[in-house]
Every structure is written in C-alpha cells, then in structure tokens.
Amino acid sequence: MARLWSTILLAAASLAMVSATDEPQYKFEGNDAINNVAGNAVAANPAANPNLPGGWYDPEECYGNYCVYASHRAANGRGVVAVTTSASFEKLKRMDKSLGVPVPNEKEAVDPPLYEIKEVPGRGKVLVANTTIKRGTKIVVSQPALVVHRKFMDDEEVDDEDQERLLKIAVDLLPEDTRKHLLARLVPQGEAKTLMELIRSRPFEDNLGLNWAGPEGYDNEKNLFAYPELEHIPHHCQPNAAFHIDMAYVHHTTAVRKIEAGEEINISYFSPMMLRADRQARVEEWLGKPCTCSRCTGHGDLGNIAKSDANLMEIEAIEKKLRDYESKDVTTAMLSRLLALYEAEGLKSRYSDMYELLAINYNALGYNKKAIKYANLAVQAGIIEDGPDSNDVIAMRILAKSGLEHYSWKMRIKNQRLA
Ligand SMILES: *[C@@H]1O[C@H](CO)[C@@H](O)[C@H](O)[C@H]1NC(C)=O
Ligand SMILES: *[C@@H]1O[C@H](CO)[C@@H](O)[C@H](O)[C@H]1NC(C)=O
C-alpha cells in the first residue's frame, strides 16, 4: 500500500510548481508529495468544489485506512483538515452542524479577550490575563484546525516520513491564513520541527467511537485535535483553568479560580491525579521536556514529592470506598479528609467528581443540607470542567432538588443496619 501510494505521488510531483514562498519557516524534507495536490486546481481550493456533502472535500489521498479530509467552511470558515479513518470522519462531520452556531447552553468566550498574548523569556508566547478573571469565566473557545487519528501517529503502523507526508498534504488543503498560522510554528530550534511534533506538543484527545474489529473486540477511534487558540496555553499540574471538548469538538477553557491581572493562564494537559512519576513520564513523552511545576519538583525537596504521592494514594483509597455502596465504614470525617487532600494538592481543576462523591455520601449518611450544598458545588464545578450538558451536572442538579427523595438518601445507614 505504502509503496504504491508514494510511486503515484512521485510521478505527479514533477507536474506542478509549488508556491513554497508562503512557508519561509518550514522546510519540508520528505518526498515532496504536496506537489500533487498543489498542482490540482480542485485540490488547491477544496471550498470551490467539495466532493462530499456539507462542503467537505475528500482528495482521496490515503495511507492504509487513513485518508485526508478537508473543509473550508468548518470552524466558521477557518477550515479544518483531518488525517483519519472513514469512521472517525463520519463523526467529524458534526462540525458542520456547529457552523456559526454556539453549542446549546455553552457560553461563548468573553469578547474582547480577557488576556494578552505575551512573549515571556524562556517560555515563548503565553496568555497573560489583562484584567481580573472570575472563577467560571469562559476564557477561550476554540475549534480544531487539524485532526489526526491516534493510530496514524503510532510509529509501528506508519513510519515518520509517511506521517509527515500525509500531514503536509492535509495542511496544504487549509485556507491560506490558517495554513500560514500553523506552519509559522514550525521552527528548526523551536518545540515543533515537524507537523507531527506540532500536534504532539498540544495533545488534546477525543474518542470518536468504538468499531467492531472482529475477534479482538472493539477498536477505538481516538483522534488528536490541534486547536490554534491553545498554542499559547502551557501545561501546568496545578492550573488556573480547566477545559473540556464538547460534542462538536469545540474546546472550552474556563477559569477554575479567580485569576489576577498579570497571571499566566494554564491548563493541565494530563490528569493531575496521576502519581508524580507517571505525570513526569507523560510530560516528557508528549511535551519533550521535564515537568517543572511544583508538584513535580517538590520545590527541590524529595520529602514534598513523597508527601504529594502519599496524598494522591490516600485520595484514591478514600474515593474507592465512597464509590462502593457496600462500604461499611464511611464516615463524615472521611469526607472532610477528602476535601482537605484535594485542597492540599491544588486540584482545583478537578473538583467536580470530588464534590459529587461528597454530595452523594453526605446524603447517604443522612446529612441532607450538606448533600445539597455539595451537589450545587458539583454543578458549578461540573459546568467548568465538563460543560453544562454533562451527565454528572445533570445528576447533581437532580440530587440538589430531590435530596430526601433521592435514591441515595440514608442509603448507608440502611446498609449499615442490614450488616
Ligand atoms: C486585553 O487584551 C485584549 C487583546 O488580547 C484587548 O482586546 C482588551 O481590550 C484588553 N483588556 C484590557 C482590560 O486591557
Ligand atoms: C501557570 O500559571 C501560573 C499562574 O500565573 C504561573 O505562576 C506559572 O508559571 C504558570 N506555569 C507555566 C508552566 O506556565
């Protein structure tokens, strides 16, 4: 498959001239397959002649199961391209529906922006708040410009040259401004030297479904999404903002605490609940540099790191008990302890699940007022962390309203009596 594909492209490469002038910073070093696309009038302007419904374009450039798709209309005309399977592509078409239409119940980001993009020595460009940002304020809303199937990124399935070649074909199908913007990030000495590195440097993943893969069971459709507005929001393990990706693949970044003017905005790219060694490995693997935030370095004190890991393990043990309706020894002290551990670890970007456990367990222990208090807090945190339509937010709204009638009311007391 791979051989055949590159032979065709090589033959086509000599037919066309490529306008390399727009891309001063990016030197493409594989087989210059893009000539094939650039030389084809339809391909060079997919918006003019979409060959799929909804303004999508399929130039039939594939590697194995992974093909290039493009739309100039998606993301309000900024365009999006994908290197993915046909199954994932079917799901991506949902982006059409969100053309210019905000997702129901999702607030748009505040306009004008509450931040400036500033150059910080040693860190490049970052978003810095230029006014006080209240908790719960939507800071950035972004639609993807590039989508790549996780398995296409897997070295065992596709080699580096082929990855880069197909990505380049895809990126060249973007509207000019979007393409220039993406390619401007490829700098020889910067964090991204190739398109693959560019995608890996801001890894946002969404699973677009499960497919029956025969006797081995189901295969997933994980894809990575590149969001132009997220380029300047770095990773931090005690971040001041949280994000979620909605049904139309729109990325929402929301303040998890009050952010003062002058503070940088950051999010956690990886679960802050992982033990330090795992978080460290994840950051190295994806971002290519060590994690330098205080929960990773312990302010240079190994004792702090051990303490932080012990806290995380205690959180895990308590949560396991709180999730199990059969646990016999759940106490209110355990609930206060859980809250204190989250506070100690600075896990403000992950409070919704914790509040939810407190709400249900207070109710189960017969403390209705506390249950309602934490259910309301879970709703607030859930909107920030998962969006207003998430199942947890809906479940906590129900608990907040129905406390005494809720299935969880005094459930642990009944269980304990039974025991
Ligand atoms: C903050 O910066 C944005 C530009 O990113 C600007 O539009 C806005 O007016 C600024 N706000 C304040 C309060 O300076
Ligand atoms: C994250 O934001 C905080 C608060 O502004 C800042 O102190 C910290 O340096 C930022 N971290 C990174 C990695 O940008």
Side-chain angles (χ1 to χ4, degrees), residues 123 126 234-236 238-240 257 259 262-266 292-293:
R123 284 234 280 293
V126 292
H235 165 75
H236 198 262
Q238 281 171 322
N240 48 23
R257 60 166 171 80
I259 301 174
E263 269 191 78
E264 278 172 37
I265 292 154
N266 41 44
T292 52
C293 71

mmCIF file with all atom_site columns, all heavy atoms in Angstrom, residues 123 126 234-236 238-240 257 259 262-266 292-293, ligand 2:
data_model
loop_
_atom_site.group_PDB
_atom_site.id
_atom_site.type_symbol
_atom_site.label_atom_id
_atom_site.label_alt_id
_atom_site.label_comp_id
_atom_site.label_asym_id
_atom_site.label_entity_id
_atom_site.label_seq_id
_atom_site.pdbx_PDB_ins_code
_atom_site.Cartn_x
_atom_site.Cartn_y
_atom_site.Cartn_z
_atom_site.occupancy
_atom_site.B_iso_or_equiv
_atom_site.pdbx_formal_charge
_atom_site.auth_seq_id
_atom_site.auth_comp_id
_atom_site.auth_asym_id
_atom_site.auth_atom_id
_atom_site.pdbx_PDB_model_num
ATOM   1   N N   . ARG A 1 123 ? 10.017  30.960 27.656 1.00 0.00 ? 123 ARG A N   1
ATOM   2   C CA  . ARG A 1 123 ? 8.793   30.169 27.538 1.00 0.00 ? 123 ARG A CA  1
ATOM   3   C C   . ARG A 1 123 ? 8.016   30.438 26.264 1.00 0.00 ? 123 ARG A C   1
ATOM   4   O O   . ARG A 1 123 ? 7.035   29.768 25.991 1.00 0.00 ? 123 ARG A O   1
ATOM   5   C CB  . ARG A 1 123 ? 7.892   30.427 28.745 1.00 0.00 ? 123 ARG A CB  1
ATOM   6   C CG  . ARG A 1 123 ? 8.380   29.707 29.983 1.00 0.00 ? 123 ARG A CG  1
ATOM   7   C CD  . ARG A 1 123 ? 7.298   28.849 30.575 1.00 0.00 ? 123 ARG A CD  1
ATOM   8   N NE  . ARG A 1 123 ? 6.393   29.662 31.349 1.00 0.00 ? 123 ARG A NE  1
ATOM   9   C CZ  . ARG A 1 123 ? 6.732   30.262 32.470 1.00 0.00 ? 123 ARG A CZ  1
ATOM   10  N NH1 . ARG A 1 123 ? 7.946   30.151 32.931 1.00 0.00 ? 123 ARG A NH1 1
ATOM   11  N NH2 . ARG A 1 123 ? 5.856   30.972 33.126 1.00 0.00 ? 123 ARG A NH2 1
ATOM   12  N N   . VAL A 1 126 ? 2.789   33.306 25.754 1.00 0.00 ? 126 VAL A N   1
ATOM   13  C CA  . VAL A 1 126 ? 1.780   32.734 26.657 1.00 0.00 ? 126 VAL A CA  1
ATOM   14  C C   . VAL A 1 126 ? 0.627   33.721 26.812 1.00 0.00 ? 126 VAL A C   1
ATOM   15  O O   . VAL A 1 126 ? 0.759   34.905 26.506 1.00 0.00 ? 126 VAL A O   1
ATOM   16  C CB  . VAL A 1 126 ? 2.368   32.406 28.058 1.00 0.00 ? 126 VAL A CB  1
ATOM   17  C CG1 . VAL A 1 126 ? 3.354   31.257 27.972 1.00 0.00 ? 126 VAL A CG1 1
ATOM   18  C CG2 . VAL A 1 126 ? 3.003   33.618 28.700 1.00 0.00 ? 126 VAL A CG2 1
ATOM   19  N N   . PRO A 1 234 ? 0.138   26.880 28.194 1.00 0.00 ? 234 PRO A N   1
ATOM   20  C CA  . PRO A 1 234 ? 1.015   25.763 28.548 1.00 0.00 ? 234 PRO A CA  1
ATOM   21  C C   . PRO A 1 234 ? 0.417   24.824 29.580 1.00 0.00 ? 234 PRO A C   1
ATOM   22  O O   . PRO A 1 234 ? -0.598  25.136 30.211 1.00 0.00 ? 234 PRO A O   1
ATOM   23  C CB  . PRO A 1 234 ? 2.262   26.454 29.098 1.00 0.00 ? 234 PRO A CB  1
ATOM   24  C CG  . PRO A 1 234 ? 1.813   27.791 29.550 1.00 0.00 ? 234 PRO A CG  1
ATOM   25  C CD  . PRO A 1 234 ? 0.579   28.149 28.779 1.00 0.00 ? 234 PRO A CD  1
ATOM   26  N N   . HIS A 1 235 ? 1.081   23.709 29.723 1.00 0.00 ? 235 HIS A N   1
ATOM   27  C CA  . HIS A 1 235 ? 0.685   22.707 30.716 1.00 0.00 ? 235 HIS A CA  1
ATOM   28  C C   . HIS A 1 235 ? 1.167   23.113 32.109 1.00 0.00 ? 235 HIS A C   1
ATOM   29  O O   . HIS A 1 235 ? 2.242   23.639 32.292 1.00 0.00 ? 235 HIS A O   1
ATOM   30  C CB  . HIS A 1 235 ? 1.323   21.372 30.356 1.00 0.00 ? 235 HIS A CB  1
ATOM   31  C CG  . HIS A 1 235 ? 1.273   20.375 31.477 1.00 0.00 ? 235 HIS A CG  1
ATOM   32  N ND1 . HIS A 1 235 ? 0.113   19.720 31.827 1.00 0.00 ? 235 HIS A ND1 1
ATOM   33  C CD2 . HIS A 1 235 ? 2.225   19.958 32.344 1.00 0.00 ? 235 HIS A CD2 1
ATOM   34  C CE1 . HIS A 1 235 ? 0.357   18.932 32.868 1.00 0.00 ? 235 HIS A CE1 1
ATOM   35  N NE2 . HIS A 1 235 ? 1.634   19.048 33.195 1.00 0.00 ? 235 HIS A NE2 1
ATOM   36  N N   . HIS A 1 236 ? 0.338   22.857 33.105 1.00 0.00 ? 236 HIS A N   1
ATOM   37  C CA  . HIS A 1 236 ? 0.739   23.049 34.487 1.00 0.00 ? 236 HIS A CA  1
ATOM   38  C C   . HIS A 1 236 ? -0.023  22.039 35.329 1.00 0.00 ? 236 HIS A C   1
ATOM   39  O O   . HIS A 1 236 ? -1.169  21.733 35.008 1.00 0.00 ? 236 HIS A O   1
ATOM   40  C CB  . HIS A 1 236 ? 0.409   24.477 34.941 1.00 0.00 ? 236 HIS A CB  1
ATOM   41  C CG  . HIS A 1 236 ? 1.159   24.874 36.163 1.00 0.00 ? 236 HIS A CG  1
ATOM   42  N ND1 . HIS A 1 236 ? 0.606   24.801 37.413 1.00 0.00 ? 236 HIS A ND1 1
ATOM   43  C CD2 . HIS A 1 236 ? 2.422   25.319 36.324 1.00 0.00 ? 236 HIS A CD2 1
ATOM   44  C CE1 . HIS A 1 236 ? 1.520   25.196 38.301 1.00 0.00 ? 236 HIS A CE1 1
ATOM   45  N NE2 . HIS A 1 236 ? 2.628   25.516 37.665 1.00 0.00 ? 236 HIS A NE2 1
ATOM   46  N N   . GLN A 1 238 ? -0.933  22.339 38.496 1.00 0.00 ? 238 GLN A N   1
ATOM   47  C CA  . GLN A 1 238 ? -1.914  22.990 39.377 1.00 0.00 ? 238 GLN A CA  1
ATOM   48  C C   . GLN A 1 238 ? -2.455  24.192 38.620 1.00 0.00 ? 238 GLN A C   1
ATOM   49  O O   . GLN A 1 238 ? -2.228  25.334 38.991 1.00 0.00 ? 238 GLN A O   1
ATOM   50  C CB  . GLN A 1 238 ? -1.252  23.470 40.672 1.00 0.00 ? 238 GLN A CB  1
ATOM   51  C CG  . GLN A 1 238 ? -1.039  22.374 41.670 1.00 0.00 ? 238 GLN A CG  1
ATOM   52  C CD  . GLN A 1 238 ? -0.187  22.836 42.836 1.00 0.00 ? 238 GLN A CD  1
ATOM   53  O OE1 . GLN A 1 238 ? 0.765   23.596 42.663 1.00 0.00 ? 238 GLN A OE1 1
ATOM   54  N NE2 . GLN A 1 238 ? -0.533  22.387 44.014 1.00 0.00 ? 238 GLN A NE2 1
ATOM   55  N N   . PRO A 1 239 ? -3.159  23.938 37.532 1.00 0.00 ? 239 PRO A N   1
ATOM   56  C CA  . PRO A 1 239 ? -3.510  25.020 36.619 1.00 0.00 ? 239 PRO A CA  1
ATOM   57  C C   . PRO A 1 239 ? -4.599  25.933 37.174 1.00 0.00 ? 239 PRO A C   1
ATOM   58  O O   . PRO A 1 239 ? -5.299  25.566 38.122 1.00 0.00 ? 239 PRO A O   1
ATOM   59  C CB  . PRO A 1 239 ? -4.032  24.263 35.400 1.00 0.00 ? 239 PRO A CB  1
ATOM   60  C CG  . PRO A 1 239 ? -4.624  23.024 35.962 1.00 0.00 ? 239 PRO A CG  1
ATOM   61  C CD  . PRO A 1 239 ? -3.765  22.655 37.135 1.00 0.00 ? 239 PRO A CD  1
ATOM   62  N N   . ASN A 1 240 ? -4.727  27.098 36.567 1.00 0.00 ? 240 ASN A N   1
ATOM   63  C CA  . ASN A 1 240 ? -5.791  28.017 36.987 1.00 0.00 ? 240 ASN A CA  1
ATOM   64  C C   . ASN A 1 240 ? -7.011  27.947 36.062 1.00 0.00 ? 240 ASN A C   1
ATOM   65  O O   . ASN A 1 240 ? -7.986  28.652 36.265 1.00 0.00 ? 240 ASN A O   1
ATOM   66  C CB  . ASN A 1 240 ? -5.266  29.450 37.109 1.00 0.00 ? 240 ASN A CB  1
ATOM   67  C CG  . ASN A 1 240 ? -4.450  29.876 35.906 1.00 0.00 ? 240 ASN A CG  1
ATOM   68  O OD1 . ASN A 1 240 ? -4.601  29.324 34.825 1.00 0.00 ? 240 ASN A OD1 1
ATOM   69  N ND2 . ASN A 1 240 ? -3.586  30.866 36.094 1.00 0.00 ? 240 ASN A ND2 1
ATOM   70  N N   . ARG A 1 257 ? -10.404 29.270 39.134 1.00 0.00 ? 257 ARG A N   1
ATOM   71  C CA  . ARG A 1 257 ? -10.326 30.123 40.312 1.00 0.00 ? 257 ARG A CA  1
ATOM   72  C C   . ARG A 1 257 ? -10.211 31.550 39.809 1.00 0.00 ? 257 ARG A C   1
ATOM   73  O O   . ARG A 1 257 ? -10.082 31.773 38.600 1.00 0.00 ? 257 ARG A O   1
ATOM   74  C CB  . ARG A 1 257 ? -9.119  29.751 41.173 1.00 0.00 ? 257 ARG A CB  1
ATOM   75  C CG  . ARG A 1 257 ? -7.770  29.877 40.487 1.00 0.00 ? 257 ARG A CG  1
ATOM   76  C CD  . ARG A 1 257 ? -6.652  29.824 41.519 1.00 0.00 ? 257 ARG A CD  1
ATOM   77  N NE  . ARG A 1 257 ? -5.320  29.740 40.928 1.00 0.00 ? 257 ARG A NE  1
ATOM   78  C CZ  . ARG A 1 257 ? -4.636  30.764 40.427 1.00 0.00 ? 257 ARG A CZ  1
ATOM   79  N NH1 . ARG A 1 257 ? -5.174  31.984 40.370 1.00 0.00 ? 257 ARG A NH1 1
ATOM   80  N NH2 . ARG A 1 257 ? -3.420  30.586 39.933 1.00 0.00 ? 257 ARG A NH2 1
ATOM   81  N N   . ILE A 1 259 ? -8.498  34.634 38.668 1.00 0.00 ? 259 ILE A N   1
ATOM   82  C CA  . ILE A 1 259 ? -7.168  34.844 38.090 1.00 0.00 ? 259 ILE A CA  1
ATOM   83  C C   . ILE A 1 259 ? -6.914  36.352 38.082 1.00 0.00 ? 259 ILE A C   1
ATOM   84  O O   . ILE A 1 259 ? -7.731  37.128 37.594 1.00 0.00 ? 259 ILE A O   1
ATOM   85  C CB  . ILE A 1 259 ? -7.098  34.268 36.652 1.00 0.00 ? 259 ILE A CB  1
ATOM   86  C CG1 . ILE A 1 259 ? -7.421  32.763 36.665 1.00 0.00 ? 259 ILE A CG1 1
ATOM   87  C CG2 . ILE A 1 259 ? -5.731  34.526 36.029 1.00 0.00 ? 259 ILE A CG2 1
ATOM   88  C CD1 . ILE A 1 259 ? -7.515  32.117 35.280 1.00 0.00 ? 259 ILE A CD1 1
ATOM   89  N N   . GLY A 1 262 ? -2.236  39.916 35.078 1.00 0.00 ? 262 GLY A N   1
ATOM   90  C CA  . GLY A 1 262 ? -0.793  39.659 35.104 1.00 0.00 ? 262 GLY A CA  1
ATOM   91  C C   . GLY A 1 262 ? -0.451  38.186 35.271 1.00 0.00 ? 262 GLY A C   1
ATOM   92  O O   . GLY A 1 262 ? 0.671   37.779 35.020 1.00 0.00 ? 262 GLY A O   1
ATOM   93  N N   . GLU A 1 263 ? -1.429  37.381 35.687 1.00 0.00 ? 263 GLU A N   1
ATOM   94  C CA  . GLU A 1 263 ? -1.153  35.936 35.834 1.00 0.00 ? 263 GLU A CA  1
ATOM   95  C C   . GLU A 1 263 ? -1.218  35.255 34.478 1.00 0.00 ? 263 GLU A C   1
ATOM   96  O O   . GLU A 1 263 ? -2.078  35.568 33.654 1.00 0.00 ? 263 GLU A O   1
ATOM   97  C CB  . GLU A 1 263 ? -2.214  35.280 36.725 1.00 0.00 ? 263 GLU A CB  1
ATOM   98  C CG  . GLU A 1 263 ? -1.880  35.240 38.184 1.00 0.00 ? 263 GLU A CG  1
ATOM   99  C CD  . GLU A 1 263 ? -2.868  34.319 38.918 1.00 0.00 ? 263 GLU A CD  1
ATOM   100 O OE1 . GLU A 1 263 ? -2.719  33.099 38.841 1.00 0.00 ? 263 GLU A OE1 1
ATOM   101 O OE2 . GLU A 1 263 ? -3.787  34.863 39.555 1.00 0.00 ? 263 GLU A OE2 1
ATOM   102 N N   . GLU A 1 264 ? -0.361  34.269 34.313 1.00 0.00 ? 264 GLU A N   1
ATOM   103 C CA  . GLU A 1 264 ? -0.424  33.453 33.101 1.00 0.00 ? 264 GLU A CA  1
ATOM   104 C C   . GLU A 1 264 ? -1.581  32.476 33.207 1.00 0.00 ? 264 GLU A C   1
ATOM   105 O O   . GLU A 1 264 ? -1.889  32.007 34.297 1.00 0.00 ? 264 GLU A O   1
ATOM   106 C CB  . GLU A 1 264 ? 0.835   32.610 32.979 1.00 0.00 ? 264 GLU A CB  1
ATOM   107 C CG  . GLU A 1 264 ? 2.001   33.317 32.402 1.00 0.00 ? 264 GLU A CG  1
ATOM   108 C CD  . GLU A 1 264 ? 3.232   32.436 32.525 1.00 0.00 ? 264 GLU A CD  1
ATOM   109 O OE1 . GLU A 1 264 ? 3.115   31.206 32.373 1.00 0.00 ? 264 GLU A OE1 1
ATOM   110 O OE2 . GLU A 1 264 ? 4.292   32.997 32.800 1.00 0.00 ? 264 GLU A OE2 1
ATOM   111 N N   . ILE A 1 265 ? -2.148  32.124 32.074 1.00 0.00 ? 265 ILE A N   1
ATOM   112 C CA  . ILE A 1 265 ? -3.232  31.142 32.080 1.00 0.00 ? 265 ILE A CA  1
ATOM   113 C C   . ILE A 1 265 ? -2.663  29.792 31.658 1.00 0.00 ? 265 ILE A C   1
ATOM   114 O O   . ILE A 1 265 ? -1.919  29.704 30.685 1.00 0.00 ? 265 ILE A O   1
ATOM   115 C CB  . ILE A 1 265 ? -4.353  31.603 31.132 1.00 0.00 ? 265 ILE A CB  1
ATOM   116 C CG1 . ILE A 1 265 ? -5.013  32.853 31.737 1.00 0.00 ? 265 ILE A CG1 1
ATOM   117 C CG2 . ILE A 1 265 ? -5.382  30.499 30.907 1.00 0.00 ? 265 ILE A CG2 1
ATOM   118 C CD1 . ILE A 1 265 ? -5.646  33.764 30.762 1.00 0.00 ? 265 ILE A CD1 1
ATOM   119 N N   . ASN A 1 266 ? -2.954  28.773 32.439 1.00 0.00 ? 266 ASN A N   1
ATOM   120 C CA  . ASN A 1 266 ? -2.509  27.443 32.029 1.00 0.00 ? 266 ASN A CA  1
ATOM   121 C C   . ASN A 1 266 ? -3.526  26.368 32.398 1.00 0.00 ? 266 ASN A C   1
ATOM   122 O O   . ASN A 1 266 ? -4.408  26.584 33.209 1.00 0.00 ? 266 ASN A O   1
ATOM   123 C CB  . ASN A 1 266 ? -1.099  27.127 32.538 1.00 0.00 ? 266 ASN A CB  1
ATOM   124 C CG  . ASN A 1 266 ? -0.845  27.594 33.952 1.00 0.00 ? 266 ASN A CG  1
ATOM   125 O OD1 . ASN A 1 266 ? -1.693  27.415 34.807 1.00 0.00 ? 266 ASN A OD1 1
ATOM   126 N ND2 . ASN A 1 266 ? 0.322   28.171 34.202 1.00 0.00 ? 266 ASN A ND2 1
ATOM   127 N N   . THR A 1 292 ? 8.099   20.922 35.242 1.00 0.00 ? 292 THR A N   1
ATOM   128 C CA  . THR A 1 292 ? 8.819   21.792 36.176 1.00 0.00 ? 292 THR A CA  1
ATOM   129 C C   . THR A 1 292 ? 7.910   22.430 37.218 1.00 0.00 ? 292 THR A C   1
ATOM   130 O O   . THR A 1 292 ? 8.346   23.278 37.976 1.00 0.00 ? 292 THR A O   1
ATOM   131 C CB  . THR A 1 292 ? 9.525   22.929 35.407 1.00 0.00 ? 292 THR A CB  1
ATOM   132 O OG1 . THR A 1 292 ? 8.560   23.557 34.565 1.00 0.00 ? 292 THR A OG1 1
ATOM   133 C CG2 . THR A 1 292 ? 10.662  22.402 34.562 1.00 0.00 ? 292 THR A CG2 1
ATOM   134 N N   . CYS A 1 293 ? 6.628   22.044 37.235 1.00 0.00 ? 293 CYS A N   1
ATOM   135 C CA  . CYS A 1 293 ? 5.777   22.709 38.212 1.00 0.00 ? 293 CYS A CA  1
ATOM   136 C C   . CYS A 1 293 ? 6.031   22.122 39.600 1.00 0.00 ? 293 CYS A C   1
ATOM   137 O O   . CYS A 1 293 ? 6.632   21.060 39.737 1.00 0.00 ? 293 CYS A O   1
ATOM   138 C CB  . CYS A 1 293 ? 4.313   22.649 37.798 1.00 0.00 ? 293 CYS A CB  1
ATOM   139 S SG  . CYS A 1 293 ? 3.583   21.033 37.932 1.00 0.00 ? 293 CYS A SG  1
HETATM 140 C C1  . LIG B 2 .   ? 0.929   28.766 35.238 1.00 0.00 ? 2   LIG B C1  1
HETATM 141 O O1  . LIG B 2 .   ? 0.297   29.903 35.759 1.00 0.00 ? 2   LIG B O1  1
HETATM 142 C C2  . LIG B 2 .   ? 0.832   30.339 36.998 1.00 0.00 ? 2   LIG B C2  1
HETATM 143 C C3  . LIG B 2 .   ? -0.034  31.468 37.473 1.00 0.00 ? 2   LIG B C3  1
HETATM 144 O O2  . LIG B 2 .   ? 0.019   32.545 36.579 1.00 0.00 ? 2   LIG B O2  1
HETATM 145 C C4  . LIG B 2 .   ? 2.287   30.754 36.807 1.00 0.00 ? 2   LIG B C4  1
HETATM 146 O O3  . LIG B 2 .   ? 2.831   31.128 38.044 1.00 0.00 ? 2   LIG B O3  1
HETATM 147 C C5  . LIG B 2 .   ? 3.067   29.588 36.257 1.00 0.00 ? 2   LIG B C5  1
HETATM 148 O O4  . LIG B 2 .   ? 4.374   29.983 35.969 1.00 0.00 ? 2   LIG B O4  1
HETATM 149 C C6  . LIG B 2 .   ? 2.400   29.057 35.005 1.00 0.00 ? 2   LIG B C6  1
HETATM 150 N N1  . LIG B 2 .   ? 3.098   27.851 34.629 1.00 0.00 ? 2   LIG B N1  1
HETATM 151 C C7  . LIG B 2 .   ? 3.511   27.608 33.409 1.00 0.00 ? 2   LIG B C7  1
HETATM 152 C C8  . LIG B 2 .   ? 4.209   26.317 33.175 1.00 0.00 ? 2   LIG B C8  1
HETATM 153 O O5  . LIG B 2 .   ? 3.312   28.385 32.524 1.00 0.00 ? 2   LIG B O5  1
#
